Amino acid sequence: MKELPIDFRITGLLTALYIMLMIIGSSLKGVSIPTSYIFTLDKLLHLIEYFIFGTLLFFVFYSSSKTPDVICLILGIFYSLIDELYQSTVIGRDASALDVLADIIGLILSILFIKLFLNSFVHDR
């Protein structure tokens, strides 16, 4: 079996920088996207944003935990909820349960993608 060459310091730093970018993005004033549409460009952006975030979180906890996927999912959902609450305080933005749902889907997809990748990488297929 192969081991992944993952440096905790680098993944931790990248994750911290990404969280700062997410906070900056959430702080920007904007016009809220109409809530009458279930799937919009906004939801796709949330999905991609949290796919990347989930991937970073997973690898932060990969070498130090037996269940990095569970930790990644719990922390990602918690951050998503906090982020939506914060956005409700920004002028021109509002909180949306559909945004949280898109975030959760992005997190789950990142975990599934990583599991598939690790399965093929570690087992030398």
Side-chain angles (χ1 to χ4, degrees), residues 78-125:
F78 178 73
Y79 185 82
S80 174
L81 292 170
I82 297 298
D83 185 44
E84 286 302 313
L85 288 174
Y86 172 67
Q87 282 185 32
S88 69
T89 66
V90 176
I91 297 171
R93 306 286 294 265
D94 61 353
S96 167
L98 292 176
D99 285 350
V100 173
L101 181 62
D103 297 343
I104 292 170
I105 292 170
L107 289 166
I108 291 170
L109 288 175
S110 72
I111 292 169
L112 292 174
F113 179 77
I114 291 168
K115 291 284 190 173
L116 288 172
F117 171 75
L118 286 178
N119 192 27
S120 65
F121 183 81
V122 173
H123 295 298
D124 292 323
R125 287 190 176 175

Short mmCIF file of all heavy atoms in Angstrom, two decimals, residues 78-125:
data_model
loop_
_atom_site.label_atom_id
_atom_site.label_comp_id
_atom_site.label_asym_id
_atom_site.label_seq_id
_atom_site.Cartn_x
_atom_site.Cartn_y
_atom_site.Cartn_z
N PHE A 78 -21.43 22.77 10.42
CA PHE A 78 -21.42 23.81 11.45
C PHE A 78 -20.98 25.15 10.86
O PHE A 78 -21.63 26.17 11.09
CB PHE A 78 -20.49 23.39 12.60
CG PHE A 78 -20.39 24.42 13.69
CD1 PHE A 78 -21.45 24.63 14.56
CD2 PHE A 78 -19.24 25.17 13.84
CE1 PHE A 78 -21.36 25.58 15.56
CE2 PHE A 78 -19.14 26.13 14.84
CZ PHE A 78 -20.20 26.33 15.71
N TYR A 79 -19.91 25.14 10.07
CA TYR A 79 -19.44 26.39 9.46
C TYR A 79 -20.48 26.95 8.49
O TYR A 79 -20.69 28.16 8.42
CB TYR A 79 -18.10 26.19 8.75
CG TYR A 79 -17.56 27.50 8.23
CD1 TYR A 79 -16.88 28.36 9.06
CD2 TYR A 79 -17.80 27.89 6.91
CE1 TYR A 79 -16.42 29.59 8.60
CE2 TYR A 79 -17.35 29.11 6.45
CZ TYR A 79 -16.66 29.95 7.30
OH TYR A 79 -16.23 31.16 6.84
N SER A 80 -21.13 26.07 7.75
CA SER A 80 -22.16 26.51 6.81
C SER A 80 -23.30 27.24 7.53
O SER A 80 -23.76 28.29 7.08
CB SER A 80 -22.71 25.31 6.05
OG SER A 80 -23.80 25.68 5.24
N LEU A 81 -23.73 26.69 8.65
CA LEU A 81 -24.80 27.33 9.43
C LEU A 81 -24.35 28.68 9.98
O LEU A 81 -25.10 29.67 9.90
CB LEU A 81 -25.24 26.41 10.56
CG LEU A 81 -25.95 25.13 10.14
CD1 LEU A 81 -26.10 24.18 11.33
CD2 LEU A 81 -27.30 25.44 9.52
N ILE A 82 -23.14 28.73 10.51
CA ILE A 82 -22.61 29.99 11.04
C ILE A 82 -22.46 31.02 9.92
O ILE A 82 -22.80 32.20 10.09
CB ILE A 82 -21.24 29.76 11.74
CG1 ILE A 82 -21.40 28.85 12.94
CG2 ILE A 82 -20.57 31.08 12.12
CD1 ILE A 82 -22.29 29.38 14.04
N ASP A 83 -22.00 30.58 8.76
CA ASP A 83 -21.82 31.47 7.61
C ASP A 83 -23.15 32.05 7.16
O ASP A 83 -23.25 33.24 6.86
CB ASP A 83 -21.13 30.71 6.47
CG ASP A 83 -20.80 31.61 5.30
OD1 ASP A 83 -20.28 32.73 5.54
OD2 ASP A 83 -21.01 31.20 4.15
N GLU A 84 -24.18 31.23 7.11
CA GLU A 84 -25.49 31.73 6.69
C GLU A 84 -26.06 32.72 7.72
O GLU A 84 -26.67 33.72 7.34
CB GLU A 84 -26.47 30.58 6.47
CG GLU A 84 -26.22 29.81 5.20
CD GLU A 84 -26.27 30.66 3.93
OE1 GLU A 84 -27.21 31.46 3.77
OE2 GLU A 84 -25.35 30.52 3.10
N LEU A 85 -25.85 32.44 8.99
CA LEU A 85 -26.29 33.39 10.02
C LEU A 85 -25.54 34.71 9.88
O LEU A 85 -26.13 35.79 10.00
CB LEU A 85 -26.09 32.81 11.42
CG LEU A 85 -27.04 31.70 11.82
CD1 LEU A 85 -26.65 31.12 13.17
CD2 LEU A 85 -28.48 32.23 11.87
N TYR A 86 -24.26 34.63 9.62
CA TYR A 86 -23.46 35.84 9.43
C TYR A 86 -23.95 36.62 8.20
O TYR A 86 -24.06 37.84 8.24
CB TYR A 86 -21.98 35.49 9.29
CG TYR A 86 -21.14 36.68 8.91
CD1 TYR A 86 -20.96 37.74 9.79
CD2 TYR A 86 -20.53 36.76 7.66
CE1 TYR A 86 -20.21 38.85 9.44
CE2 TYR A 86 -19.77 37.86 7.30
CZ TYR A 86 -19.62 38.89 8.20
OH TYR A 86 -18.87 39.99 7.84
N GLN A 87 -24.23 35.91 7.12
CA GLN A 87 -24.69 36.58 5.90
C GLN A 87 -25.99 37.34 6.12
O GLN A 87 -26.26 38.34 5.46
CB GLN A 87 -24.87 35.58 4.76
CG GLN A 87 -23.59 35.17 4.11
CD GLN A 87 -23.82 34.27 2.92
OE1 GLN A 87 -24.82 34.38 2.23
NE2 GLN A 87 -22.89 33.36 2.69
N SER A 88 -26.81 36.86 7.05
CA SER A 88 -28.08 37.54 7.33
C SER A 88 -27.85 38.90 7.96
O SER A 88 -28.76 39.73 7.99
CB SER A 88 -28.98 36.68 8.21
OG SER A 88 -28.45 36.57 9.51
N THR A 89 -26.65 39.17 8.46
CA THR A 89 -26.35 40.48 9.05
C THR A 89 -25.71 41.43 8.06
O THR A 89 -25.52 42.60 8.37
CB THR A 89 -25.39 40.32 10.26
OG1 THR A 89 -24.12 39.84 9.81
CG2 THR A 89 -25.97 39.36 11.29
N VAL A 90 -25.37 40.94 6.87
CA VAL A 90 -24.73 41.77 5.85
C VAL A 90 -25.80 42.42 4.99
O VAL A 90 -26.76 41.75 4.56
CB VAL A 90 -23.77 40.91 4.97
CG1 VAL A 90 -23.17 41.73 3.85
CG2 VAL A 90 -22.68 40.29 5.83
N ILE A 91 -25.63 43.70 4.72
CA ILE A 91 -26.61 44.45 3.93
C ILE A 91 -26.72 43.86 2.53
O ILE A 91 -25.72 43.61 1.85
CB ILE A 91 -26.21 45.94 3.83
CG1 ILE A 91 -26.23 46.56 5.22
CG2 ILE A 91 -27.14 46.69 2.88
CD1 ILE A 91 -25.65 47.95 5.27
N GLY A 92 -27.95 43.58 2.10
CA GLY A 92 -28.19 43.03 0.77
C GLY A 92 -28.06 41.53 0.69
O GLY A 92 -28.19 40.96 -0.39
N ARG A 93 -27.81 40.87 1.81
CA ARG A 93 -27.68 39.41 1.83
C ARG A 93 -28.70 38.85 2.81
O ARG A 93 -29.19 39.55 3.69
CB ARG A 93 -26.27 38.99 2.31
CG ARG A 93 -25.11 39.58 1.59
CD ARG A 93 -24.86 39.01 0.20
NE ARG A 93 -24.47 37.62 0.18
CZ ARG A 93 -23.23 37.19 0.15
NH1 ARG A 93 -22.23 38.04 0.17
NH2 ARG A 93 -22.97 35.90 0.10
N ASP A 94 -29.03 37.60 2.62
CA ASP A 94 -29.92 36.94 3.58
C ASP A 94 -29.52 35.48 3.74
O ASP A 94 -28.76 34.94 2.95
CB ASP A 94 -31.39 37.06 3.19
CG ASP A 94 -31.70 36.42 1.85
OD1 ASP A 94 -30.76 36.00 1.15
OD2 ASP A 94 -32.88 36.33 1.51
N ALA A 95 -30.01 34.87 4.79
CA ALA A 95 -29.73 33.47 5.06
C ALA A 95 -30.72 32.61 4.28
O ALA A 95 -31.86 32.99 4.07
CB ALA A 95 -29.84 33.19 6.55
N SER A 96 -30.27 31.44 3.85
CA SER A 96 -31.13 30.56 3.08
C SER A 96 -30.86 29.10 3.45
O SER A 96 -29.70 28.66 3.45
CB SER A 96 -30.87 30.77 1.58
OG SER A 96 -31.46 29.74 0.83
N ALA A 97 -31.93 28.38 3.74
CA ALA A 97 -31.80 26.95 4.04
C ALA A 97 -31.33 26.20 2.79
O ALA A 97 -30.63 25.19 2.89
CB ALA A 97 -33.12 26.39 4.54
N LEU A 98 -31.71 26.69 1.61
CA LEU A 98 -31.27 26.04 0.37
C LEU A 98 -29.76 26.20 0.16
O LEU A 98 -29.12 25.31 -0.41
CB LEU A 98 -32.05 26.58 -0.82
CG LEU A 98 -33.54 26.21 -0.86
CD1 LEU A 98 -34.23 26.89 -2.03
CD2 LEU A 98 -33.71 24.70 -0.94
N ASP A 99 -29.21 27.31 0.62
CA ASP A 99 -27.76 27.48 0.55
C ASP A 99 -27.05 26.46 1.44
O ASP A 99 -26.05 25.87 1.05
CB ASP A 99 -27.35 28.89 0.98
CG ASP A 99 -27.67 29.94 -0.08
OD1 ASP A 99 -28.02 29.56 -1.21
OD2 ASP A 99 -27.56 31.14 0.23
N VAL A 100 -27.60 26.26 2.63
CA VAL A 100 -27.03 25.26 3.55
C VAL A 100 -27.13 23.87 2.92
O VAL A 100 -26.19 23.08 3.00
CB VAL A 100 -27.72 25.31 4.93
CG1 VAL A 100 -27.25 24.17 5.82
CG2 VAL A 100 -27.48 26.65 5.61
N LEU A 101 -28.25 23.58 2.29
CA LEU A 101 -28.41 22.29 1.62
C LEU A 101 -27.38 22.12 0.51
O LEU A 101 -26.77 21.05 0.37
CB LEU A 101 -29.83 22.15 1.07
CG LEU A 101 -30.16 20.84 0.37
CD1 LEU A 101 -30.03 19.67 1.34
CD2 LEU A 101 -31.56 20.89 -0.22
N ALA A 102 -27.16 23.16 -0.28
CA ALA A 102 -26.14 23.10 -1.34
C ALA A 102 -24.75 22.91 -0.74
O ALA A 102 -23.92 22.16 -1.28
CB ALA A 102 -26.19 24.36 -2.19
N ASP A 103 -24.50 23.55 0.39
CA ASP A 103 -23.21 23.39 1.08
C ASP A 103 -23.02 21.95 1.53
O ASP A 103 -21.94 21.37 1.36
CB ASP A 103 -23.14 24.32 2.30
CG ASP A 103 -23.22 25.79 1.94
OD1 ASP A 103 -23.01 26.13 0.76
OD2 ASP A 103 -23.50 26.60 2.84
N ILE A 104 -24.05 21.36 2.10
CA ILE A 104 -23.98 19.98 2.58
C ILE A 104 -23.75 19.01 1.42
O ILE A 104 -22.95 18.08 1.51
CB ILE A 104 -25.24 19.61 3.39
CG1 ILE A 104 -25.27 20.41 4.70
CG2 ILE A 104 -25.30 18.11 3.68
CD1 ILE A 104 -26.58 20.31 5.46
N ILE A 105 -24.43 19.26 0.31
CA ILE A 105 -24.23 18.41 -0.87
C ILE A 105 -22.79 18.52 -1.36
O ILE A 105 -22.15 17.52 -1.71
CB ILE A 105 -25.24 18.78 -1.99
CG1 ILE A 105 -26.65 18.38 -1.55
CG2 ILE A 105 -24.86 18.11 -3.30
CD1 ILE A 105 -27.75 18.91 -2.45
N GLY A 106 -22.23 19.74 -1.36
CA GLY A 106 -20.84 19.93 -1.75
C GLY A 106 -19.89 19.18 -0.83
O GLY A 106 -18.92 18.56 -1.28
N LEU A 107 -20.16 19.22 0.48
CA LEU A 107 -19.33 18.49 1.44
C LEU A 107 -19.39 16.98 1.19
O LEU A 107 -18.36 16.29 1.18
CB LEU A 107 -19.78 18.79 2.87
CG LEU A 107 -19.48 20.20 3.39
CD1 LEU A 107 -20.27 20.47 4.66
CD2 LEU A 107 -18.00 20.39 3.62
N ILE A 108 -20.59 16.47 1.00
CA ILE A 108 -20.77 15.03 0.77
C ILE A 108 -20.08 14.60 -0.52
O ILE A 108 -19.40 13.57 -0.56
CB ILE A 108 -22.27 14.66 0.77
CG1 ILE A 108 -22.85 14.82 2.19
CG2 ILE A 108 -22.48 13.24 0.26
CD1 ILE A 108 -24.36 14.71 2.26
N LEU A 109 -20.22 15.40 -1.57
CA LEU A 109 -19.55 15.06 -2.84
C LEU A 109 -18.04 15.06 -2.69
O LEU A 109 -17.35 14.21 -3.27
CB LEU A 109 -19.99 16.03 -3.93
CG LEU A 109 -21.42 15.87 -4.45
CD1 LEU A 109 -21.75 16.96 -5.45
CD2 LEU A 109 -21.63 14.50 -5.06
N SER A 110 -17.51 16.00 -1.91
CA SER A 110 -16.06 16.02 -1.71
C SER A 110 -15.59 14.77 -0.98
O SER A 110 -14.57 14.18 -1.34
CB SER A 110 -15.62 17.28 -0.95
OG SER A 110 -16.00 17.24 0.41
N ILE A 111 -16.34 14.34 0.03
CA ILE A 111 -15.97 13.13 0.77
C ILE A 111 -16.05 11.90 -0.13
O ILE A 111 -15.14 11.07 -0.14
CB ILE A 111 -16.87 12.97 2.01
CG1 ILE A 111 -16.55 14.08 3.02
CG2 ILE A 111 -16.69 11.60 2.64
CD1 ILE A 111 -17.54 14.19 4.16
N LEU A 112 -17.11 11.81 -0.93
CA LEU A 112 -17.23 10.67 -1.85
C LEU A 112 -16.11 10.66 -2.87
O LEU A 112 -15.53 9.61 -3.17
CB LEU A 112 -18.60 10.70 -2.54
CG LEU A 112 -19.81 10.43 -1.66
CD1 LEU A 112 -21.10 10.64 -2.46
CD2 LEU A 112 -19.75 9.04 -1.06
N PHE A 113 -15.79 11.81 -3.41
CA PHE A 113 -14.72 11.92 -4.39
C PHE A 113 -13.38 11.49 -3.78
O PHE A 113 -12.61 10.74 -4.38
CB PHE A 113 -14.63 13.35 -4.92
CG PHE A 113 -13.55 13.57 -5.93
CD1 PHE A 113 -13.70 13.14 -7.23
CD2 PHE A 113 -12.36 14.18 -5.56
CE1 PHE A 113 -12.69 13.33 -8.17
CE2 PHE A 113 -11.34 14.37 -6.48
CZ PHE A 113 -11.51 13.95 -7.78
N ILE A 114 -13.11 11.97 -2.58
CA ILE A 114 -11.85 11.62 -1.90
C ILE A 114 -11.81 10.13 -1.60
O ILE A 114 -10.77 9.49 -1.79
CB ILE A 114 -11.68 12.45 -0.62
CG1 ILE A 114 -11.43 13.90 -0.96
CG2 ILE A 114 -10.54 11.90 0.23
CD1 ILE A 114 -11.53 14.84 0.21
N LYS A 115 -12.92 9.56 -1.14
CA LYS A 115 -12.95 8.13 -0.84
C LYS A 115 -12.65 7.32 -2.10
O LYS A 115 -11.90 6.35 -2.05
CB LYS A 115 -14.31 7.72 -0.27
CG LYS A 115 -14.59 8.26 1.11
CD LYS A 115 -13.80 7.50 2.12
CE LYS A 115 -14.27 7.88 3.51
NZ LYS A 115 -13.66 7.07 4.54
N LEU A 116 -13.22 7.71 -3.23
CA LEU A 116 -12.94 7.02 -4.49
C LEU A 116 -11.47 7.18 -4.88
O LEU A 116 -10.81 6.23 -5.30
CB LEU A 116 -13.84 7.54 -5.60
CG LEU A 116 -15.30 7.13 -5.53
CD1 LEU A 116 -16.12 7.87 -6.58
CD2 LEU A 116 -15.43 5.63 -5.71
N PHE A 117 -10.96 8.39 -4.73
CA PHE A 117 -9.56 8.66 -5.06
C PHE A 117 -8.64 7.85 -4.16
O PHE A 117 -7.69 7.23 -4.64
CB PHE A 117 -9.28 10.15 -4.93
CG PHE A 117 -7.82 10.50 -5.03
CD1 PHE A 117 -7.18 10.49 -6.25
CD2 PHE A 117 -7.09 10.80 -3.89
CE1 PHE A 117 -5.83 10.80 -6.35
CE2 PHE A 117 -5.74 11.11 -3.98
CZ PHE A 117 -5.12 11.11 -5.21
N LEU A 118 -8.89 7.88 -2.86
CA LEU A 118 -8.01 7.16 -1.93
C LEU A 118 -8.07 5.66 -2.16
O LEU A 118 -7.07 4.98 -2.06
CB LEU A 118 -8.39 7.47 -0.49
CG LEU A 118 -8.01 8.86 0.03
CD1 LEU A 118 -8.48 9.04 1.46
CD2 LEU A 118 -6.53 9.10 -0.08
N ASN A 119 -9.24 5.15 -2.47
CA ASN A 119 -9.40 3.72 -2.72
C ASN A 119 -8.53 3.30 -3.91
O ASN A 119 -7.86 2.28 -3.87
CB ASN A 119 -10.86 3.37 -2.95
CG ASN A 119 -11.10 1.89 -2.94
OD1 ASN A 119 -10.37 1.14 -2.30
ND2 ASN A 119 -12.12 1.46 -3.64
N SER A 120 -8.54 4.10 -4.95
CA SER A 120 -7.74 3.72 -6.13
C SER A 120 -6.26 4.00 -5.91
O SER A 120 -5.41 3.27 -6.41
CB SER A 120 -8.23 4.50 -7.36
OG SER A 120 -8.00 5.88 -7.21
N PHE A 121 -5.91 5.00 -5.13
CA PHE A 121 -4.51 5.35 -4.90
C PHE A 121 -3.86 4.38 -3.91
O PHE A 121 -2.76 3.90 -4.16
CB PHE A 121 -4.39 6.78 -4.37
CG PHE A 121 -2.98 7.24 -4.16
CD1 PHE A 121 -2.23 7.69 -5.23
CD2 PHE A 121 -2.40 7.22 -2.90
CE1 PHE A 121 -0.92 8.12 -5.05
CE2 PHE A 121 -1.09 7.63 -2.71
CZ PHE A 121 -0.35 8.09 -3.79
N VAL A 122 -4.50 4.12 -2.81
CA VAL A 122 -3.91 3.32 -1.74
C VAL A 122 -3.84 1.85 -2.13
O VAL A 122 -2.89 1.15 -1.80
CB VAL A 122 -4.69 3.52 -0.43
CG1 VAL A 122 -4.22 2.57 0.64
CG2 VAL A 122 -4.55 4.96 0.05
N HIS A 123 -4.81 1.35 -2.86
CA HIS A 123 -4.85 -0.06 -3.17
C HIS A 123 -4.21 -0.40 -4.52
O HIS A 123 -4.35 -1.52 -5.01
CB HIS A 123 -6.29 -0.57 -3.13
CG HIS A 123 -6.87 -0.50 -1.76
ND1 HIS A 123 -6.37 -1.21 -0.69
CD2 HIS A 123 -7.89 0.22 -1.26
CE1 HIS A 123 -7.07 -0.95 0.39
NE2 HIS A 123 -7.99 -0.08 0.08
N ASP A 124 -3.52 0.54 -5.13
CA ASP A 124 -2.77 0.30 -6.38
C ASP A 124 -3.62 -0.35 -7.47
O ASP A 124 -3.21 -1.33 -8.07
CB ASP A 124 -1.55 -0.57 -6.12
CG ASP A 124 -0.51 0.15 -5.29
OD1 ASP A 124 -0.34 1.35 -5.48
OD2 ASP A 124 0.11 -0.53 -4.47
N ARG A 125 -4.73 0.19 -7.75
CA ARG A 125 -5.56 -0.38 -8.82
C ARG A 125 -5.08 0.04 -10.16
O ARG A 125 -4.51 0.92 -10.49
CB ARG A 125 -7.01 0.04 -8.65
CG ARG A 125 -7.62 -0.70 -7.50
CD ARG A 125 -9.07 -0.47 -7.51
NE ARG A 125 -9.61 -1.27 -6.45
CZ ARG A 125 -10.85 -1.26 -6.10
NH1 ARG A 125 -11.70 -0.51 -6.70
NH2 ARG A 125 -11.29 -2.00 -5.13
#
